[in-house]
Amino acid sequence: MASTTSWANEYAIRNKDYVANFAPRDQLSAFPAHKVAIVACMDSRIDPAASLGIKEGDAHVIRNAGGRAKDALRSLVVSQLFLQSTEIIVYHHTHCGMATFQDQEGREKLREAVADTPEAEALGPVIDSFAFMPLRSPPGVTDPIATVKQSIQEDVAYLRSCELLKHRNAISGWLYDVHTGAVSKVVPW
């Protein structure tokens, strides 16, 4: 891609190939056929649908930084209340960037990013309360895999205790390995 062209424009051009091969999706519903919602990280190295063999229409895939459950809660509530999903899969991955910093470091970086703007002072309270929801290591643990497993356990526990969710008994947690493509169950349902 030429440096003077935006990726958005390039993607619009590529969409023409997609449209040329597009099969009608009249048979697909907004309701997930497998009644599953997956909460995954937005990391560009992972494709939850491809790695789990999910086809269009099978499941809702909700993505955010770190694949954090609290960040996905609104979408999960909509998925269950309005679109009939009954199972949730928490899907985190190895070598997640959200395990490389803590909230305070994120806030400092955000403060630096807006420091030269007229809004910098007004944004101070917003930045002070901003939660990046990084992955945190258990006390005394330095193993990065243990940190990700801990985040999976925390998110599954959070969702199981969240009274806004209609279906809390079918929630499991999985770990995706970015180097092998393999998944392993961390928290069964």
Side-chain angles (χ1 to χ4, degrees), residues 35-93:
K35 298 186 181 285
V36 174
I38 299 166
V39 179
C41 185
M42 65 185 198
D43 191 307
S44 61
R45 297 172 293 177
I46 64 173
D47 183 346
S51 64
L52 297 173
I54 296 169
K55 306 286 186 257
E56 287 178 329
D58 286 349
H60 292 148
V61 180
I62 302 158
R63 298 182 72 164
N64 63 53
R68 300 314 309 255
K70 286 181 184 177
D71 207 8
L73 183 59
R74 181 184 65 89
S75 296
L76 289 169
V77 168
V78 169
S79 180
Q80 287 194 351
L81 285 180
F82 299 103
L83 300 169
Q84 301 176 357
S85 68
T86 58
E87 181 178 352
I88 298 172
I89 296 171
V90 173
Y91 193 79
H92 293 193
H93 66 93

Side-chain angles (χ1 to χ4, degrees), residues 41 43 45 65-67 92-100 135 148 178:
C41 185
D43 191 307
R45 297 172 293 177
H92 293 193
H93 66 93
T94 60
H95 306 284
C96 184
M98 293 301 288
T100 63
L135 312 184
V148 178
V178 296

Side-chain angles (χ1 to χ4, degrees), residues 9 14 20 24-25 41 51 54 56 60 86 98 104 117 150 153 160 173 184:
N9 291 336
R14 293 179 185 186
R25 297 197 171 38
C41 185
S51 64
I54 296 169
E56 287 178 329
H60 292 148
T86 58
M98 293 301 288
Q104 192 55 39
T117 67
Q150 174 76 21
Q153 293 166 349
R160 286 179 176 167
S184 57

Side-chain angles (χ1 to χ4, degrees), residues 10-187:
E10 176 67 22
Y11 295 154
I13 292 166
R14 293 179 185 186
N15 176 257
K16 290 178 178 39
D17 291 333
Y18 180 77
V19 169
N21 298 306
F22 190 78
R25 297 197 171 38
D26 297 337
Q27 73 282 5
L28 292 181
S29 168
F31 298 86
H34 296 169
K35 298 186 181 285
V36 174
I38 299 166
V39 179
C41 185
M42 65 185 198
D43 191 307
S44 61
R45 297 172 293 177
I46 64 173
D47 183 346
S51 64
L52 297 173
I54 296 169
K55 306 286 186 257
E56 287 178 329
D58 286 349
H60 292 148
V61 180
I62 302 158
R63 298 182 72 164
N64 63 53
R68 300 314 309 255
K70 286 181 184 177
D71 207 8
L73 183 59
R74 181 184 65 89
S75 296
L76 289 169
V77 168
V78 169
S79 180
Q80 287 194 351
L81 285 180
F82 299 103
L83 300 169
Q84 301 176 357
S85 68
T86 58
E87 181 178 352
I88 298 172
I89 296 171
V90 173
Y91 193 79
H92 293 193
H93 66 93
T94 60
H95 306 284
C96 184
M98 293 301 288
T100 63
F101 69 95
Q102 296 300 317
D103 272 330
Q104 192 55 39
E105 293 169 84
R107 289 184 191 118
E108 288 167 13
K109 198 160 188 76
L110 187 53
R111 234 181 238 96
E112 289 170 17
V114 301
D116 296 331
T117 67
E119 299 85 9
E121 189 175 329
L123 289 173
V126 174
I127 292 171
D128 290 341
S129 65
F130 197 85
F132 284 89
M133 293 184 245
L135 312 184
R136 292 185 172 87
S137 298
V141 174
T142 57
D143 175 21
I145 301 298
T147 300
V148 178
K149 286 182 177 180
Q150 174 76 21
S151 72
I152 293 168
Q153 293 166 349
E154 289 171 357
D155 280 0
V156 169
Y158 169 77
L159 293 172
R160 286 179 176 167
S161 68
C162 183
E163 294 183 10
L164 294 173
L165 294 171
K166 184 176 174 183
H167 304 282
R168 293 180 281 161
N169 59 341
I171 302 172
S172 59
W174 295 79
L175 177 65
Y176 172 82
D177 188 315
V178 296
H179 294 301
T180 67
V183 297
S184 57
K185 189 185 296 182
V186 175
V187 180

